[in-house]
Amino acid sequence: DIQMTQSPSSLSASVGDTVTITCRASQNINKYLNWYQQRPGKAPNVLIYSASTLQGGVPSRFSGSGSGTDFTLIITSLQPEDFATYYCQQSYKTPLTFGQGTKVEFK
Amino acid sequence: QITLKESGPTLVKPTQTLTLTCTFSGFSLNSRGAGVAWLRQSPGKAPEWLTLLYWDDDERYSPPLRGRLSIMKDSSKNQVVLRMTDMDPVDTATYFCAHLISGSGHEHFDYWGQGTLVSVSS
């Protein structure tokens, strides 16, 4: 199985900040990497797919980059609705696997 | 507009079989590139992928759970059914179904159901 490791596990930030979350795969997954946001009590919602493609309807303050084993999600000008948990997920091969999550909290 | 909704029991006893139904609309599971997956999530944990059914009837399963899972579709009803045998308290989680979209080999879950909490207890 491909292991996905996110860092940090949690972070504290303020509205307007820029936040960076990283995700590392245990093997080369090319650009088969997706990012999801999950708010409490809700299903995950895709933000970025194929490492850097913004899902329709997702604000442009979200961006993704990377390929191979190292990936980054950047949120610029953090908004109140962005305080949530973020997961990376590889779609290179089954079993599909997720990172452990990064919780973005109010500072 | 794609929607999915999970239905099934909220409580099952240990050793029983769980049957969950995902009723969807807005797409056809016979359309190339479509898939429906089941995932689950325990409180405070990341989502865990369980199984996936592609438009061409290809089935994929999580290796540690493969012997306990089955996925099947009823195209006439726009439903996908998950069966999970020999339930244990550690299987207590919120179970989601999700639409998978494939394009140029890249896949992601673009629509999810609201999830249904399943507790396993005697």
Side-chain angles (χ1 to χ4, degrees):
Chain A
D1 300 4
I2 299 174
Q3 308 302 317
M4 307 301 294
T5 304
Q6 287 181 235
S7 61
S9 297
S10 65
L11 63 90
S12 298
S14 301
V15 173
D17 284 353
T18 293
V19 165
T20 300
I21 299 170
T22 63
C23 177
R24 174 165 290 176
S26 60
Q27 68 178 74
N28 184 355
I29 59 170
N30 198 335
K31 298 191 76 173
Y32 292 83
L33 190 283
N34 307 314
W35 288 99
Y36 298 86
Q37 176 194 68
Q38 188 175 30
R39 299 190 177 104
K42 301 294 186 181
N45 180 49
V46 65
L47 301 171
I48 303 281
Y49 62 92
S50 302
S52 58
T53 303
L54 195 67
Q55 173 75 0
V58 174
S60 59
R61 63 180 180 273
F62 293 93
S63 64
S65 64
S67 67
T69 61
D70 293 309
F71 302 87
T72 301
L73 173 70
I74 296 177
I75 313 170
T76 58
S77 186
L78 200 67
Q79 297 300 299
E81 61 268 29
D82 300 337
F83 292 91
T85 301
Y86 295 84
Y87 296 99
C88 60
Q89 175 247 324
Q90 63 82 17
S91 60
Y92 183 74
K93 63 179 182 180
T94 56
L96 305 177
T97 48
F98 289 79
Q100 82 278 15
T102 296
K103 187 173 184 179
V104 178
E105 301 175 298
F106 284 104
K107 181 180 287 183
Chain B
Q1 173 74 358
I2 290 176
T3 64
L4 306 98
K5 187 172 184 179
E6 307 86 354
S7 59
T10 57
L11 178 65
V12 297
K13 297 184 187 310
T15 75
Q16 286 187 336
T17 294
L18 171 69
T19 300
L20 293 175
T21 300
C22 177
T23 302
F24 59 85
S25 64
F27 68 96
S28 169
L29 196 44
N30 296 320
S31 298
R32 184 177 183 82
V36 172
W38 284 95
L39 306 95
R40 68 181 180 182
Q41 188 173 31
S42 301
K45 301 293 187 182
E48 176 188 13
W49 170 76
L50 301 178
T51 180
L52 172 57
L53 179 62
Y54 289 97
W55 80 96
D56 59 358
D57 293 331
D58 185 12
E59 300 172 13
R60 304 293 176 92
Y61 293 95
S62 170
L65 296 171
R66 183 180 182 88
R68 298 174 54 205
L69 295 173
S70 63
I71 188 170
M72 62 203 75
K73 69 179 180 183
D74 184 335
S75 297
S76 65
K77 295 181 180 179
N78 278 356
Q79 292 179 335
V80 172
V81 175
L82 171 74
R83 293 183 75 249
M84 188 171 187
T85 63
D86 195 23
M87 293 292 285
D88 183 271
V90 300
D91 297 314
T92 294
T94 296
Y95 287 73
F96 296 96
C97 61
H99 174 260
L100 178 115
I101 185 166
S102 299
S104 302
H106 291 264
E107 305 175 337
H108 63 279
F109 300 115
D110 58 348
Y111 292 91
W112 295 62
Q114 64 189 21
T116 185
L117 177 61
V118 177
S119 298
V120 184
S121 174
S122 55

